[in-house]
Amino acid sequence: MTSSNPRQLAITAALSWTDKPTDGTTPERVDALFGIDVFGAQQMRERLPKEIFKVVKRALETGERLSRDVADAVAVAMKNWAVEQGATHYTHWFQPLTGSTAEKHDAFIVPDGHGGIIFALSGSELIQGEPDASSFPSGGLRATFEARGYTAWDVHSPAFLQRGKNHVTLVIPTAFVSWKGEALDQKTPLLRSMDALSTQAMRILKLFGSADGVHRVYTTLGCEQEYFLVDRHLYFARPDLVTCERTLFGAKPPKGQQLEDHYFGTIPPRVLAFMAECERELYRVGVPVKTRHNEVAPGQFEFAPLFETANLACDHQMLLMETLRRVAPRYGLQAILHEKPFAGVNGSGKHNNWSMATDTGTNLLDPRDETHANIQFLTFLCAVIRAVDLHSDLLRAAVASAANDHRLGANEAPPAIMSIFLGDMLTDLIDQLEKGLPDRTIRGGALDLGTRSLPQLPRDAGDRNRTSPFAFTGNKFEFRAVGSSQSVAWPCTILNTIAAESLDYVATELEQAVGPNPRPEKLLEVVPGLLQKIIAKHKRVIFNGDNYTSEWHAEAERRGLLNLKDCTAAIPALGGDKNVELFEKYKVLNKTELDSRVHIFMEKYAKEMLIESEAMVLMGRQLIGPAVLEHQTLLANCVTASQNAGAEVKSIKASLDSFAKLASRFDAALEALDEADSHHVEDPFEQGRYMKSKVVPLMNELRRLGDELETRIASTLWPLPSYRELLFFK
Ligand code: ADP
Ligand code: MG
């Protein structure tokens, strides 16, 4: 007999997936595949007239604008290349404030004047697009009747081909602004913040005499993406996963991640096949994914790329997320990027590895061997320490979302308190610096592995700290609080802006003391004093211990560090006066643009909470409710039948009673939630606070009761795939 229970059907289907043996062909070599669908420097060199190529190359190096003639020439070459590869359409691809990407496709066709068509793309179509802006969130920046929005090609992020069944499309990465030029996207402020950081970092390099031949300082970014994979049949049997990417019910399985046997474990064959196909697709469009492995929770995995210039890394990050989602169904899987899809097991983050580098390739956060003598490095380091302490509210706000609220501060992710981990070597240097000029660098030495058959390993000068929200990891900072589903553009924009402000402060202080072109000895006389001042004031933000402990929370409070626990505290802080001034000063966002963002983020939070709460009520009524009735009927029938048969019914009667009690508590909680979430006010801040204080506790209570029901109702009646099935079927 086939079951009509959705869970049973889903399980049967999930188990039918078989690992198909390979067809014996060797996969293409990565170096042959890499970037073949990108219209990059190589294609331009081959296809553009020499003179034009030179102009484009210079524009790419210096950030100059392309003239109309040059743009036309690039457009023709790009179109020809794309059409040769089978493309029929092009799209301006952008990142509105929805959190995902947007695209509108246009065919290359134009009338040929004789009743036919030809394929063409003009310079202006390449450089500028005009999608209707009225349906994207603008947070009151524009009235909906003011629909005009423009997309503008980000020349530093090359166009690429998107391939799929029956289509090849030329994708042009763009920024998205309103008719007045206000940023409506993630890209515009990111590019502005990169300019701001470059300007200020260049001043420091000039002071140190390190600016020769350097035109710009770039921010570099490498993002480690964590995600879950769930069998697609099971996924579709979970309305909560489909609607919210998060399970709203689900009892803890007997085995979760207690045994710690998943991290770096053998990658299951089906998952590895999926990963390899993702990699192939990503290599084609030039995304340099390097690392793949199992993560801590069962069913959780990670991809990490080589680092790149921040705006390119951001585009590639969006492509990575899209690719995971697109490829997974081919393997009967669903990629889940939500920060906390499952209660009680680890959530997913996206560590943002961030540094600053000159266009000549010097990493400004690389301490080198004789770190104590590397005063320029120490200057950049102290500027970052100051930035994090002064603007911890911004760093916290950069990662605020309803989903990340489940992660930050829970016992598995860095807390909502922003602090810096420096490690032994740098902490020692900072201690020395506090007293005068440092004169030694702690070294790692060598690790003796105790057996001659193993090589001696060089030891790093410090251990790692997985609990810190912002950790120095050798030659870069790792911002670990970023959520897995987030665009990395916004956290990076904030890092760049606060670093720019701090570098500005340092440069101004030094220039005032010794002028803009000091002799090295003169500069060295004043730098230590300034760094000491910075350390004295801001060292409270340095913490090398375990960030997960309650002792740290108490200690942080003593130190006066902020603890913005959730969105309702973190998002409003973003719009504070200090921050308006900061973003305006460095021309990253004006007040209107910043206010609109604060509004959008808060509205998104309130809306997401409402969607979750309504989804919960529906699941309770449509799926759990009927199972409860069936199970209760089963018990009641059993009591009657047993009685009729003259059997002992005391214990079955007791179980019926207690089950019925639990069921009615569940019903009451359901009604209470349904009632509470129908309260709406216009103001998103008030609505957000209401959801947090009134609705969330009711959701938690309903979940607790629902999960208890799951453990008591007959497995054949329970309608939802369980945690065991979701996490372990692969
Ligand atoms: P780990 O997490 O062990 O330090 P890696 O050194 O491989 O691992 O780096 C992790 C991530 O950091 C990778 O995505 C890598 O590209 C990135 N990364 C390394 N150096 C830099 C840098 N200078 N700037 C930005 N990201 C970097
Ligand atoms: Mg890392």
Side-chain angles (χ1 to χ4, degrees):
M1 192 190 77
T2 45
S3 163
S4 63
N5 174 300
R7 167 164 162 260
Q8 300 295 342
L9 290 172
I11 292 173
T12 311
L15 291 177
S16 70
W17 197 89
T18 48
D19 193 14
K20 296 183 204 78
T22 62
D23 56 11
T25 52
T26 5
E28 300 98 307
R29 281 178 51 166
V30 171
D31 52 355
L33 207 60
F34 193 77
I36 62 172
D37 282 343
V38 179
F39 189 74
Q42 194 194 327
Q43 274 76 13
M44 290 206 218
R45 182 179 297 117
E46 283 169 12
R47 288 168 180 269
L48 287 173
K50 241 200 186 106
E51 291 316 303
I52 304 260
F53 176 70
K54 264 200 220 145
V55 177
V56 176
K57 191 159 167 275
R58 202 178 52 238
L60 282 174
E61 282 160 8
T62 59
E64 273 168 42
R65 295 207 167 93
L66 297 183
S67 72
R68 186 57 196 268
D69 293 349
V70 173
D72 273 330
V74 176
V76 169
M78 195 187 276
K79 183 266 303 174
N80 287 342
W81 169 78
V83 171
E84 281 165 30
Q85 314 296 316
T88 52
H89 288 64
Y90 71 96
T91 180
H92 275 200
W93 184 68
F94 57 102
Q95 298 168 29
L97 295 167
T98 52
S100 37
T101 55
E103 54 193 45
K104 181 189 93 182
H105 297 199
D106 276 300
F108 285 121
I109 57 170
V110 286
D112 67 358
H114 309 285
I117 53 147
I118 48 166
F119 274 176
L121 178 72
S122 70
S124 60
E125 283 170 318
L126 166 64
I127 285 185
Q128 179 178 346
E130 196 199 323
D132 184 339
S134 59
S135 297
F136 293 104
S138 79
L141 237 179
R142 263 177 314 86
T144 32
F145 59 86
E146 296 173 310
R148 237 180 238 278
Y150 297 109
T151 49
W153 181 32
D154 171 12
V155 291
H156 283 275
S157 187
F160 58 90
L161 299 173
Q162 184 190 65
R163 294 177 186 273
K165 198 171 169 69
N166 301 338
H167 67 89
V168 180
T169 306
L170 173 68
V171 182
I172 302 164
T174 59
F176 180 45
V177 296
S178 77
W179 183 72
K180 290 185 192 139
E182 284 154 336
L184 295 175
D185 68 343
Q186 307 268 21
K187 187 58 129 5
T188 310
L190 173 66
L191 293 171
R192 293 176 185 162
S193 73
M194 289 172 69
D195 287 345
L197 184 127
S198 178
T199 307
Q200 303 307 332
M202 286 301 294
R203 284 172 69 197
I204 306 273
L205 293 182
K206 282 203 185 92
L207 280 161
F208 278 94
S210 322
D212 280 353
V214 178
H215 295 100
R216 247 197 99 98
V217 170
Y218 284 107
T219 31
T220 51
L221 196 62
C223 312
E224 304 163 53
Q225 174 74 52
E226 296 177 346
Y227 60 98
F228 280 86
L229 290 173
V230 168
D231 184 278
R232 212 160 139 80
H233 295 99
L234 301 172
Y235 167 82
F236 279 112
R238 295 280 321 205
D240 45 3
L241 281 181
V242 174
T243 311
C244 318
E245 263 213 332
R246 171 168 103 85
T247 54
L248 301 170
F249 290 102
K252 239 197 213 112
K255 178 177 184 275
Q257 62 189 53
Q258 307 93 319
L259 299 180
E260 301 178 331
D261 53 357
H262 193 258
Y263 189 60
F264 281 8
T266 312
I267 303 174
R270 177 182 180 182
V271 174
L272 195 49
F274 153 78
M275 287 174 165
E277 184 156 341
C278 285
E279 284 163 357
R280 278 229 289 280
E281 296 220 344
L282 288 165
Y283 289 149
R284 293 183 71 100
V285 293
V287 181
V289 274
K290 178 164 170 71
T291 308
R292 59 186 188 206
H293 62 81
N294 284 5
E295 254 303 323
V296 172
Q300 191 187 30
F301 307 90
E302 178 178 306
F303 260 127
L306 298 175
F307 69 90
E308 299 172 289
T309 308
N311 56 326
L312 190 58
C314 285
D315 283 351
H316 283 171
Q317 227 294 304
M318 297 310 280
L319 273 178
L320 173 72
M321 291 198 283
E322 258 175 36
T323 305
L324 294 178
R325 290 203 164 104
R326 192 162 33 81
V327 174
R330 298 179 202 158
Y331 293 85
L333 296 166
Q334 185 72 27
I336 309 251
L337 298 178
H338 191 282
E339 280 71 6
K340 189 71 181 177
F342 304 102
V345 295
N346 261 39
S348 299
K350 178 149 53 199
H351 301 172
N352 281 21
N353 294 274
W354 173 90
S355 190
M356 302 170 256
T358 63
D359 57 357
T360 48
T362 308
N363 177 359
L364 300 175
L365 289 177
D366 185 350
R368 317 238 181 85
D369 286 347
E370 298 290 316
T371 311
H372 63 276
N374 190 347
I375 298 292
Q376 180 182 298
F377 163 78
L378 290 174
T379 305
F380 277 97
L381 179 74
C382 288
V384 176
I385 294 172
R386 178 182 172 278
V388 173
D389 186 36
L390 270 186
H391 304 292
S392 65
D393 58 335
L394 279 179
L395 278 181
R396 173 62 186 88
V399 297
S401 70
N404 219 11
D405 270 5
H406 296 288
R407 217 180 127 243
L408 298 175
N411 212 26
E412 50 172 88
I417 306 162
M418 294 295 136
S419 68
I420 299 187
F421 169 84
L422 285 185
D424 297 341
M425 190 265 276
L426 289 191
T427 304
D428 176 63
L429 270 179
I430 293 288
D431 288 345
Q432 291 182 58
L433 193 56
E434 232 187 325
K435 295 172 201 112
L437 261 187
D439 57 12
R440 59 159 202 275
T441 301
I442 296 186
R443 287 181 203 285
L447 265 181
D448 184 359
L449 302 185
T451 159
R452 278 203 308 172
S453 60
L454 291 175
Q456 248 198 1
L457 301 182
R459 187 210 300 269
D460 286 307
D463 201 357
R464 294 202 168 235
N465 184 327
R466 289 185 58 94
T467 69
S468 175
F470 197 76
F472 188 79
T473 48
N475 54 8
K476 62 191 186 283
F477 277 100
E478 183 169 343
F479 189 17
R480 305 179 63 250
V482 181
S484 51
S485 70
Q486 248 187 293
S487 155
V488 294
W490 181 231
C492 187
T493 300
I494 289 195
L495 274 172
N496 294 347
T497 311
I498 67 178
E501 188 273 340
S502 226
L503 292 169
D504 181 6
Y505 165 81
V506 172
T508 306
E509 291 279 309
L510 293 177
E511 283 167 5
Q512 270 166 11
V514 292
N517 292 308
R519 279 180 296 110
E521 318 81 72
K522 194 100 197 340
L523 183 73
L524 277 188
E525 275 169 27
V526 295
V527 174
L530 176 62
L531 299 190
Q532 275 156 19
K533 198 164 98 184
I534 293 178
I535 291 166
K537 198 150 166 207
H538 301 290
K539 70 174 179 190
R540 63 174 188 163
V541 79
I542 300 169
F543 180 64
N544 291 323
D546 184 350
N547 283 250
Y548 296 175
T549 60
S550 52
E551 287 81 16
W552 166 236
H553 289 227
E555 165 70 15
E557 203 176 325
R558 268 195 300 282
R559 293 190 191 183
L561 299 182
L562 278 179
N563 186 0
L564 302 171
K565 289 206 172 79
D566 54 53
C567 285
T568 61
I571 297 174
L574 182 61
D577 291 344
K578 166 192 79 101
N579 297 334
V580 172
E581 217 172 283
L582 174 77
F583 284 116
E584 291 212 317
K585 179 162 182 197
Y586 296 97
K587 300 198 166 43
V588 174
L589 292 170
N590 63 29
K591 180 167 165 41
T592 328
E593 290 170 323
L594 182 64
D595 284 349
S596 79
R597 261 148 233 261
V598 176
H599 192 94
I600 290 168
F601 296 154
M602 206 61 218
E603 207 172 57
K604 186 156 186 262
Y605 171 79
K607 282 183 184 163
E608 281 175 2
M609 296 311 293
L610 182 62
I611 291 171
E612 287 198 349
S613 146
E614 288 181 345
M616 238 183 146
V617 169
L618 268 185
M619 284 172 78
R621 291 222 175 98
Q622 299 181 324
L623 290 160
I624 300 180
V628 168
L629 292 183
E630 264 190 89
H631 187 78
Q632 191 161 326
T633 308
L634 213 62
L635 287 170
N637 288 346
C638 178
V639 172
T640 323
S642 305
Q643 235 154 11
N644 289 347
E648 163 67 56
V649 292
K650 217 165 117 203
S651 78
I652 176 88
K653 180 77 178 32
S655 106
L656 171 62
D657 284 344
S658 93
F659 184 82
K661 257 192 215 122
L662 177 61
S664 64
R665 273 161 57 212
F666 180 79
D667 282 343
L670 190 75
E671 293 314 314
L673 180 60
D674 193 24
E675 165 86 35
D677 76 13
S678 56
H679 168 97
H680 294 292
V681 290
E682 245 335 278
D683 177 41
F685 296 91
E686 196 185 327
Q687 183 69 24
R689 282 192 300 272
Y690 174 82
M691 296 308 286
K692 176 78 207 175
S693 62
K694 292 288 179 328
V695 175
V696 169
L698 292 172
M699 287 173 69
N700 292 341
E701 175 63 3
L702 183 62
R703 172 167 191 155
R704 197 182 60 74
L705 295 166
D707 291 355
E708 200 176 329
L709 283 168
E710 180 180 342
T711 62
R712 297 191 41 185
I713 289 179
S715 166
T716 47
L717 297 179
W718 188 254
L720 298 165
S722 70
Y723 267 30
R724 179 172 49 86
E725 291 137 12
L726 293 169
L727 292 170
F728 290 96
F729 278 29
K730 335 179 241 258

